[in-house]
Structure formats: C-alpha cells, structure tokens
Amino acid sequence: MRTAYCFTPDRTFFPPAVRAIASLVEAEPETEHEIYLVCEPDDVTPGFDKLAPALRERIKLMTLDFSRYDAKLAGKGRFSRAVFRRLFLDEILPAPIERIVTVDSDMLIVRPGLSRLAGFDLAGKPLAAGYDMIFLMDFKADNALVRQFQASRRSLGLALDTPYLNAGLMTIDRAAWQAEKLTERVTKALRDDPKRYPFMEQDALNATLVGRFAPLSPRYNFMGDFFLLDLERRLEPIVLHFVNAPKPWELAAWRGEARFAENYRDWFAASPWPDWAKAPATPHWRRAPPARTRLRQAFAARLLAFIEKTPFLDR
C-alpha cells in the first residue's frame, strides 16, 4: 500500500520537524519511506538545502498557500494555523497514495516500527491513532485536571467511555476518509462553532468520529504522563511525543530529563541550525528519572491493566 509519512510544521516547528524526520530515517534506515514535508513557503527555515544529502534526498518538500484550504480557521494560544494542515492532506497529496501517516513535529521515532502502519488492516475505519492522555487520565486519582478533561469530553457530546484519540500521529485510510467526507465535516464544525473545540482539530475529529477509529497502543504515541510513570522500559515505545511545554529542544527552559535535551542538542549541533544547540552553561535538566511516588505507581498500575486488556491494532 503506497504510504506517505507527512510532517506539517509552521516556521517555529520546522527544524524540530526535520529532526523528527531524521529520527525516522535513523530508526528504519533500510526502509524507503515516502516522506513529505508540507508547509507554506515562509515556514522553510533557511539552511534546509544544506542538510546532509543522505537526509535531504529522502524528503519531498511541498510548499503551498494554505489560505485556500483553511480560510476562517484560526490558531489559538501557542497553536498556529498549522495544526489544521493534516486535515487537508487528502486534497494535497498525489492521487496514488492510499495511506497517510501524519507525524507531529514534537515527536521522535526511537525504534523501528513506523513502517508497520502501512500494512495494518483498519477494518473499514477511516484512521488509526493512540488514545490521548485526556482519555487516559480517567485512570488517575480524581483531581481538578481529570474533572476538567471529563467535562471537556462531555461538552463534545461524548460519553466518558467513548475513546478519544490524540491527533499527533494518525494513520489515515484515504479511501475511507474520503467516503466519510471527514475533511468537510471536521472543518465545517470548526468554522461553525470554534469555541466548542478547545483542543481544536483534535476535538473536532473526536466529536465527528465518536470513537470510530482503530486504536494504536501507547507504543505509537508515548506521551504526557507516560514519561512520569516508569513505563518506558515496559512498553518499549516506538514514538515519543513531547506534548507539553517547554519542549526538549528549548534548552534553556527544559526541566525534564537530560537525555531528551541532549538528543536535540547533539543533532542540531551537526545540522544547518547550530544556534539551536546552544544550551546554558548549567542547564536545569534532570539526570535521574522522575520519582516513583505512590500515586504515580498506582496510576501506572491502572494504566497497565487497561493497556493489557485492550485489543490494540498493533498487538
């Protein structure tokens, strides 16, 4: 099945997106991925053409004016209009492509396995994706954030047991997506009532699909609180997703584990963007993993019990 692996950054996320692409190539060096970097002309950071040829030649750069697609869609807070771009890939990519894998710019591929997404049987569903922490936080002890996430899903018309996806990594069956007219339906929802969707295109997708997606395990979207729960060795994730701010390439602001910041620092030091590798003389990065508090251990146990009994697509 001809598959496109698509990255859709704005200017702020362009170099991290290239780092994410490089990590895909590093994880599966023998696989001929069809990789697309889709953005507007002004998003392309100067120096892109100075990438090492072995990497640059793997990337198909597509630049276009998205205003003809995303008219009346506006970014919010730290999210720009670029978050909507994945909704239009069906209209932009070459016709022979049958499957579209969208990958967020704040992801790293750390193990082989992304190419498996091209062969999974989605059983007629338009896409596959992992559960968002908005849904998985229900397994945490009741607190204000859990209640906020539950209220948010109810406002979308979703029952609490309705699966809620994270849109950072999606595997889209193009024919099924077209048959369900998801681009039109989701963008219409966003234009008609944007305040209803605080998590923007992700909320609108979830409200439209009402749980009709094929679930991928957290191996394909290891995100949020997973980093605090000592589950990395147990789950052996393929894709790390740094959903929270600051990001690990923001070397002065990062307060997480040093290994992630060092990964970005070392790659950027050898890239066309060495300024991104400048770090404080004494950064506030943690050398040890997060403390395994009693509450975190209990949360991890409940999450693992859920994961072990859930029929994920990638079992």
Side-chain angles (χ1 to χ4, degrees):
M1 184 173 293
R2 186 171 171 184
T3 300
Y5 298 83
C6 297
F7 300 75
T8 54
D10 60 11
R11 189 175 182 86
T12 303
F13 281 85
F14 189 89
V18 177
R19 172 65 191 115
I21 292 171
S23 74
L24 169 57
V25 174
E26 292 161 7
E28 299 182 332
E30 304 303 320
T31 304
E32 292 296 322
H33 309 92
E34 193 165 350
I35 301 171
Y36 287 84
L37 187 50
V38 186
C39 57
E40 295 190 321
D42 289 345
D43 295 324
V44 181
T45 304
F48 176 69
D49 288 333
K50 296 179 181 178
L51 282 172
L55 177 59
R56 175 64 187 88
E57 291 166 5
R58 300 286 297 270
I59 302 171
K60 299 180 181 181
L61 177 65
M62 295 182 66
T63 59
L64 62 153
D65 180 1
F66 270 91
S67 63
R68 61 177 171 153
Y69 297 104
D70 64 7
K72 297 184 181 179
L73 295 179
K76 186 185 304 178
R78 61 190 175 97
F79 300 106
S80 73
R81 291 167 43 232
V83 298
F84 305 116
R85 292 176 183 172
R86 72 195 86 196
L87 300 176
F88 305 107
L89 291 171
D90 166 49
E91 301 178 19
I92 293 167
L93 293 172
I97 290 172
E98 301 166 86
R99 185 157 288 188
I100 303 166
V101 177
T102 69
V103 187
D104 261 4
S105 302
D106 57 358
M107 288 181 158
L108 283 178
I109 293 81
V110 294
R111 283 182 177 82
L114 209 68
S115 59
R116 291 180 62 204
L117 297 174
F120 287 144
D121 181 1
L122 305 192
K125 295 183 174 66
L127 63 90
Y131 295 129
D132 193 273
M133 290 305 299
I134 289 172
F135 180 74
L136 298 175
M137 286 286 282
D138 285 0
F139 296 97
K140 193 171 187 177
D142 184 48
N143 64 21
L145 185 58
V146 172
R147 291 191 293 274
Q148 177 187 333
F149 285 159
Q150 291 177 342
S152 175
R153 278 144 52 210
R154 288 192 183 102
S155 73
L156 298 176
L158 302 177
L160 292 185
D161 60 355
T162 301
Y164 178 102
L165 66 86
N166 179 271
L169 188 144
M170 297 189 293
T171 301
I172 295 170
D173 181 286
R174 197 172 190 178
W177 178 283
Q178 291 173 342
E180 298 196 21
K181 299 183 178 180
L182 282 177
T183 297
E184 296 92 331
R185 293 165 64 197
V186 173
T187 54
K188 183 179 187 302
L190 287 164
R191 289 179 177 123
D192 288 352
D193 192 5
K195 291 182 180 179
R196 188 185 178 203
Y197 308 105
F199 293 98
M200 302 167 76
E201 90 296 352
Q202 178 172 288
D203 267 351
L205 267 169
N206 277 288
T208 302
L209 291 171
V210 194
R212 283 197 62 259
F213 64 92
L216 294 170
S217 78
R219 298 193 72 210
Y220 281 97
N221 200 332
F222 193 90
M223 61 179 292
D225 276 27
F226 280 115
F227 287 102
L228 305 177
L229 301 179
D230 194 32
L231 294 179
E232 202 169 340
R233 283 175 295 176
R234 179 79 173 262
L235 298 180
E236 296 186 332
I238 294 164
V239 181
L240 305 182
H241 190 184
F242 302 102
V243 292
N244 298 323
K247 306 295 185 181
W249 62 80
E250 297 173 321
L251 303 180
W254 178 249
R255 296 293 186 273
E257 290 186 63
R259 60 192 173 112
F260 301 129
E262 289 167 349
N263 181 305
Y264 282 97
R265 180 199 62 192
D266 294 348
W267 189 85
F268 280 123
S271 80
W273 307 294
D275 285 352
W276 284 63
K278 292 180 179 177
T282 54
H284 296 284
W285 309 337
R286 284 190 284 101
R287 289 292 165 187
R292 296 187 64 194
T293 65
R294 190 173 299 175
L295 286 175
R296 285 175 180 167
Q297 290 180 53
F299 183 22
R302 288 191 290 271
L303 273 182
L304 280 173
F306 171 75
I307 290 167
E308 287 170 359
K309 72 179 183 181
T310 302
F312 293 114
L313 190 61
D314 53 298
R315 280 293 187 200

